[in-house]
Amino acid sequence: MEEKTANYTLVTDPKELPRVVNALEEAGAVGADTETTSLSPRDGEARLLQLATPDETFIIDLFEVRDISPLKEVLEGGPVKIFHNSKFDFQFLKELHGISAAPVFDTMLAAQLLDGGRQGAAYGLDAVAERYLDESPDKSEQRSDWSGKLTGRQLEYAARDAAVLLPLREKLLEALEAEELVRVSKIEFAAVSSIAEMELAGVKLDVGRWKELEKTVRERRDEAALALEAHFPEPEGVLPLEGLGPRLNLNSPQQITDAFRSIGIELADTKVWTLLKVDHPAARDLLRYRELQKKLGTYLETYPKFIHPKTGRIHASFLQCRVPTGRLACASPNIQQIPHEEEFRRCFVAENGYTLVIADYSQIELRILAEVSDDPAFVSAFQKGEDLHSLTAATMYGVSMEEVTKDQRSDAKRINFGLMYGRGAKSLSAQLGTDEARGRQLIDEYFNNYPKVQRYLQRTANRATRDRTLRTLAGRVRKFSNDPVEDDRGAMRREAMNYPIQGSSADIAKLALAYISRDLRGLDARLVNSIHDEFVVECREELAPEVSEKMRGAMTRAGERILEKVPVEVEVVVSREWTK
DNA sequence: GTTGTGGGCCAC
DNA sequence: AAACGTGGCCCACAAC
């Protein structure tokens, strides 16, 4: 049965699908949207699939037309599908209908790229349409009940949401072209399906191990709490029995500051750096307590709550264009910030019969610094496959590469990373445990050895101050606000120095995401985590050698697409646990 | 009760 | 006041 009104065609009969396919095949681009009964494809269903061509908008009632396999071919190839936040729709189509939408144009990602990492802007379809089309679609039906009998208002809303994407894409495409953001937008659009599938796959937590670890860390935490409390006197006039409850909240910086004052120690704050300078065992005990409390509260007690009852796995959310530099952010939970200690990482495992393949770029940000600065010593070190930290240490301390000690290499590593982030003599010397003059001296020597690195960093900061805009190697833009306070403090200069490095690394990583999924297609293998320069794939055990080589190849090619002079190196480890 | 903010700390 | 870039999250605390 087909019901046609001025605005849309409601499809409730599978026999109508061939006509929909024909119309889509003839369109150059299709506005596409879904209305769902839940925000998660694990907890709900897609009720409507709206497909808008310039001539006609189809609304397919998926409760009436359960099988949309006739649409599979045209949705997986053919005309570009325009979505707003395509990850969301992709996941419902993939999980519930086995369809991987491609190619896509995402109006939300496009708007975010055009804003150059501006914080706080709204990126709902209504806000973006208002900005680029001077009209604002009514979103009042967005959160309405899509599981029952649908009203005319709902259907009109649904049709409009898909149809508006056609003119919106045209405007955004013009803007992307004008701002030379087409290349990076293609990288983003190609990464969507990888990120969407990675979330769908989720990651397996070995709950037995995790609970065991929780128990031991809790015991350690309780011991640390007792040791810490013992430093502080009982309040006057409290009877022994009344003192049984917690008299001092050890998690409260305020109460901790008061408690330290009571034993004659004035704290400016209770940060690690401050406490390390305090020569009293209470400071040591507080740091120990904090470390364990953090692990217990943030990770051990929290992560099991995220295991989905249906899949038994943790499905984090990756936010594709939240971070101004282009990196992925991750939330609910953030599986990019699991403590690096083996006792934590070994709890993230592969299913029985499967294994993890863990691949990471070796020193990718330093390679990018070599590329963008074109410093001869830097570039040639990477071209020769030398260890850059050792080289830095050798030249700074005036010894040969073989003579470099562990400590010297470790100092050089801190300097290499620190200067990339705009670090100064004061904080560097503090980290290295030396005085400021020595820090200054080390930085000067460093820049003497790598003069083009210094020139690059200064020029980049200057350009950002002048133009208020910078680009990564793939052309991603960051716009810097004109904030005199930040300029004064040098914060903007440091952000500027870091942006092309961190941002180009993100360019490479996003390209790699797309390449990895493409190269693993057809194999029983899937991405399960992405941590900036590291990718974790879960695959059948017997596929590990093949998957390893495919990941290495995909990541290398992604790097080579962005870096012209400097080679990239990828390290691959196969393990049933997320350890190296 | 919910919401917002700041201190503090985990990752790369 | 701090002086290291990018995030997310826990907790305390205050306001509503």
Side-chain angles (χ1 to χ4, degrees), chain A residues 327 365-366 369 413-424 427 431 457 490-499 501-502:
Chain A
R327 270 190 181 180
E365 292 197 344
L366 284 173
L369 181 56
K413 193 172 170 179
R414 289 168 200 266
I415 294 171
N416 273 325
F417 285 122
L419 295 184
M420 242 175 357
Y421 299 153
R423 202 162 189 172
S427 77
Q431 192 195 21
L457 292 171
M492 198 272 264
R493 288 182 71 82
R494 289 192 297 274
E495 286 172 27
M497 288 187 264
N498 182 253
Y499 171 68
I501 302 169
Q502 196 182 117

Side-chain angles (χ1 to χ4, degrees), chain A residues 400-419:
Chain A
S400 75
M401 290 273 277
E402 294 73 36
E403 287 168 331
V404 170
T405 66
K406 269 212 162 94
D407 284 348
Q408 287 172 332
R409 184 180 182 278
S410 161
D411 283 0
K413 193 172 170 179
R414 289 168 200 266
I415 294 171
N416 273 325
F417 285 122
L419 295 184

Side-chain angles (χ1 to χ4, degrees), chain A residues 458-576:
Chain A
Q458 294 312 319
R459 275 187 187 170
T460 303
N462 293 342
R463 190 179 320 134
T465 311
R466 190 180 64 236
D467 303 342
R468 314 312 294 198
T469 177
L470 287 175
R471 281 180 189 268
T472 65
L473 288 170
R476 184 189 308 278
V477 162
R478 177 160 183 188
K479 296 174 182 169
F480 293 86
S481 66
N482 207 333
D483 182 339
V485 179
E486 285 200 353
D487 284 18
D488 266 6
R489 292 188 311 193
M492 198 272 264
R493 288 182 71 82
R494 289 192 297 274
E495 286 172 27
M497 288 187 264
N498 182 253
Y499 171 68
I501 302 169
Q502 196 182 117
S504 301
S505 171
D507 296 342
I508 293 173
K510 283 177 166 173
L511 203 50
L513 279 171
Y515 286 178
I516 290 169
S517 327
R518 192 191 60 192
D519 291 358
L520 295 181
R521 201 164 296 155
L523 296 175
D524 191 354
R526 60 206 58 80
L527 274 162
V528 296
N529 202 355
S530 160
I531 315 97
H532 310 307
D533 61 355
E534 172 181 347
F535 303 95
V536 184
V537 163
E538 185 173 350
C539 70
R540 286 296 309 177
E541 249 162 355
E542 60 274 20
L543 295 178
E546 185 182 355
V547 167
S548 301
E549 282 326 296
K550 293 208 153 154
M551 286 177 75
R552 186 192 302 282
M555 290 168 67
T556 304
R557 267 179 285 117
E560 286 170 349
R561 282 283 303 275
I562 305 288
L563 300 183
E564 289 171 3
K565 300 182 274 258
V566 179
V568 294
E569 255 179 52
V570 175
E571 285 161 8
V572 187
V573 171
V574 177
S575 169
R576 292 220 50 216

Side-chain angles (χ1 to χ4, degrees), chain A residues 24 34 50 55 58 71 100 170 178 303 317 350 377 512 515:
Chain A
L24 298 185
T34 54
Q50 306 99 277
D55 301 323
F58 301 96
L71 295 175
S100 300
E170 293 196 7
Y303 278 45
S317 299
Y515 286 178

Side-chain angles (χ1 to χ4, degrees), chain A residues 117-179:
Chain A
R118 213 177 71 197
Q119 295 285 13
Y123 293 103
L125 177 57
D126 44 354
V128 174
E130 191 160 2
R131 248 176 282 159
Y132 288 91
L133 295 174
D134 304 318
E135 57 176 301
S136 173
D138 174 20
K139 299 298 285 185
S140 56
E141 298 290 336
Q142 184 173 33
R143 281 149 194 274
S144 64
D145 178 9
W146 292 97
S147 63
K149 180 150 171 51
L150 301 173
T151 64
R153 251 180 88 84
Q154 281 181 304
L155 291 169
E156 275 165 38
Y157 159 81
R160 163 123 201 92
D161 254 14
V164 77
L165 295 170
L166 288 161
L168 185 55
R169 178 228 186 194
E170 293 196 7
K171 290 281 187 192
L172 287 165
L173 197 52
E174 276 173 32
L176 290 172
E177 280 165 356
E179 301 219 20

